[in-house]
Amino acid sequence: MFLRRSAPVVPQKLDDFRTGESNPVRHNQSHLSRFYTIPADVRKQIFAHGGFPKTYEKQIKTFNEACLMVRPAAVELIGHLNATDFRRPANRFVLYGEDGAGKSMVLAHLLHYGFCQEFVLVHVPWVPNWMKRAKETAISGTREGCLDLPLDGAAWLVHFKNQNAPLLAKLDLKVSRDYVWSKRETTPAGAPMLELIDHGINRAKFSCDAIAALLGELKEQSTAGRVKTMVVIDGFNAFFHPHTRILTENKVRVTPDKLTLTRPFLDITGADWCNGVCIVAVDRMALTEDRMESTLPMYQLRREGFEHLDPFVPVRVDNYSEEEFHSAVQYYLNRKWIQITKDGFDKELEFLSGKNPFKLMQLSASL
């Protein structure tokens, strides 16, 4: 009787521009300039309702995978978070850098980190969407002279629930007080936190008040040690712009402080709570068309925003280094995003893009 030998299993060789380490908690200097893949189920849970730039979402569909490059800013922040004593007041980190350098992608990397570390995620994909393109406005019933954004508030609660529902159910968090919405509608103390969220979704009229209650509860319960909370906000400086593009009945532009959504997110980015972290990005495109001279946080946040966050740790997101640029080009070649490869094409791309990630993505699309 003859025994048939099975062929030895040869491990699949990874491309030089990829890393096999898909857990962002373990990302360090050795993974820099390499791409890692976010699993499809995780991507669907965290980013189904925002978090990636629209151009990158199109790229995901084209490439049939979501790959993020491990950038120095992300590794720096992961190092800080791994070394953080969460019993102390929440640290605040501010990402800044040139347009298209990858601030939103670094935030996406950190969201994946927070998800893996079982943080409750409080994520605003792009604050200016509320200030520029509000779906609907209504006079607030709880704050005189202010406006609610009921549909935007309900949409954000759907996003929050999608990201956090399994973790909230696992932690079995309860609300600590009664919330009275109307004569017939209340959320009693001891009710599951998911019930509070569902009320804001199903009754959009109360969505902004539900968000204020939810974020207040998360601050209290984080400080009590029942949960860890990660706040991630892109376009944060829009909260401190002199005015929005929303008009009152008298055609007067509303200021951000007159929107009921503003105060809860400013409260949770304060330093009066613990067992959490705040990571925000400031951007010249965030309602600041008249402030294009500098990308520095103090300039973009103006005095009010700077004093609100101070003290904070600034983290600069730079354009690609030589190694990062090479990895990005190799990735695009691998995905057949770049198909025209004449001699010196990479040097030409480097010159035209200035090694800016967004510009490189745009330029290489036509190749």
Side-chain angles (χ1 to χ4, degrees):
M1 182 176 181
F2 296 98
L3 293 175
R4 182 178 294 174
R5 289 186 180 180
S6 58
V9 178
V10 179
Q12 189 174 359
K13 186 178 182 299
L14 274 178
D15 297 307
D16 291 339
F17 55 85
R18 293 183 187 268
T19 173
E21 184 52 79
S22 60
N23 185 346
V25 178
R26 293 196 282 266
H27 286 163
N28 55 43
Q29 296 282 339
S30 67
H31 303 108
L32 284 175
S33 308
R34 295 184 179 181
F35 287 87
Y36 85 98
T37 304
I38 299 176
D41 58 330
V42 174
R43 185 181 85 230
K44 187 175 180 181
Q45 183 172 342
I46 304 176
F47 302 106
H49 300 281
F52 289 136
K54 288 184 179 179
T55 49
Y56 183 73
E57 287 179 354
K58 291 178 183 177
Q59 188 175 284
I60 291 173
K61 291 178 182 177
T62 305
F63 295 171
N64 199 30
E65 63 176 5
C67 280
L68 296 182
M69 185 186 288
V70 181
R71 306 288 308 278
V75 169
E76 179 184 344
L77 281 164
I78 288 169
H80 286 312
L81 293 174
N82 287 340
T84 294
D85 181 357
F86 286 100
R87 294 170 298 180
R88 299 186 177 277
N91 288 328
R92 279 85 59 84
F93 299 92
V94 177
L95 297 181
Y96 69 100
E98 296 297 326
D99 303 338
K103 299 181 289 295
S104 298
M105 303 302 286
V106 172
L107 290 181
H109 196 160
L110 270 296
L111 279 169
H112 189 196
Y113 170 94
F115 175 82
C116 293
Q117 290 288 72
E118 294 197 328
F119 282 86
V120 168
L121 303 176
V122 176
H123 174 224
V124 182
W126 188 236
V127 174
N129 283 340
W130 295 338
M131 313 293 181
K132 292 181 181 180
R133 293 176 284 273
K135 295 182 178 71
E136 181 186 48
T137 60
I139 296 171
S140 173
T142 52
R143 287 186 59 196
E144 188 177 350
C146 292
L147 290 178
D148 285 339
L149 305 180
L151 297 182
D152 291 289
W156 186 85
L157 286 169
V158 169
H159 177 51
F160 178 88
K161 183 180 179 182
N162 195 70
Q163 288 182 322
N164 298 292
L167 180 59
L168 291 176
K170 176 183 175 181
L171 296 173
D172 195 28
L173 296 178
K174 312 286 188 184
V175 297
S176 60
R177 58 175 66 86
D178 294 335
Y179 292 98
V180 180
W181 311 108
S182 66
K183 290 182 180 179
R184 297 181 179 180
E185 297 171 288
T186 61
T187 302
M193 195 174 285
L194 284 168
E195 186 177 315
L196 172 66
I197 297 164
D198 286 334
H199 186 79
I201 294 171
N202 298 327
R203 295 281 282 134
K205 176 182 177 181
F206 302 113
S207 63
C208 295
D209 294 330
I211 288 172
L214 171 65
L215 299 190
E217 288 284 347
L218 285 175
K219 281 180 69 173
E220 288 182 17
Q221 305 218 20
S222 293
T223 302
R226 299 188 192 100
V227 64
K228 295 186 298 181
T229 302
M230 174 181 280
V231 182
V232 178
I233 302 178
D234 203 355
F236 185 75
N237 48 315
F239 283 131
F240 303 99
H241 198 262
H243 48 72
T244 69
R245 294 183 185 170
I246 299 170
L247 301 178
T248 65
E249 293 177 354
N250 300 324
K251 304 300 180 185
V252 177
R253 293 176 80 173
V254 176
T255 55
D257 62 303
K258 294 298 182 182
L259 298 179
T260 51
L261 277 178
T262 298
R263 178 48 51 192
F265 288 100
L266 293 187
D267 284 344
I268 203 167
T269 51
D272 58 343
W273 60 293
C274 62
N275 218 21
V277 62
C278 303
I279 306 167
V280 305
V282 297
D283 199 295
R284 284 194 294 201
M285 307 309 291
L287 270 182
T288 53
E289 293 87 345
D290 59 333
R291 293 178 75 81
M292 304 296 284
E293 287 81 7
S294 173
T295 61
L296 294 174
M298 187 168 189
Y299 182 79
Q300 289 299 329
L301 286 165
R302 303 172 190 256
R303 180 177 294 276
E304 182 188 357
F306 189 89
E307 290 177 352
H308 170 75
L309 288 174
D310 191 41
F312 63 84
V313 179
V315 179
R316 181 174 174 81
V317 181
D318 289 309
N319 287 334
Y320 283 151
S321 65
E322 288 283 349
E323 188 178 357
E324 287 175 324
F325 178 82
H326 176 74
S327 287
V329 170
Q330 292 303 308
Y331 178 68
Y332 288 150
L333 285 168
N334 176 266
R335 297 283 95 190
K336 302 295 190 287
W337 188 246
I338 298 175
Q339 297 186 23
I340 302 172
T341 56
K342 296 178 181 177
D343 288 344
F345 82 97
D346 51 344
K347 291 297 181 184
E348 187 175 345
L349 276 176
E350 183 178 342
F351 174 77
L352 291 172
S353 68
K355 291 187 284 194
N356 179 276
F358 179 71
K359 288 180 181 176
L360 176 62
M361 187 193 301
Q362 283 187 314
L363 288 166
S364 56
S366 61
L367 300 177

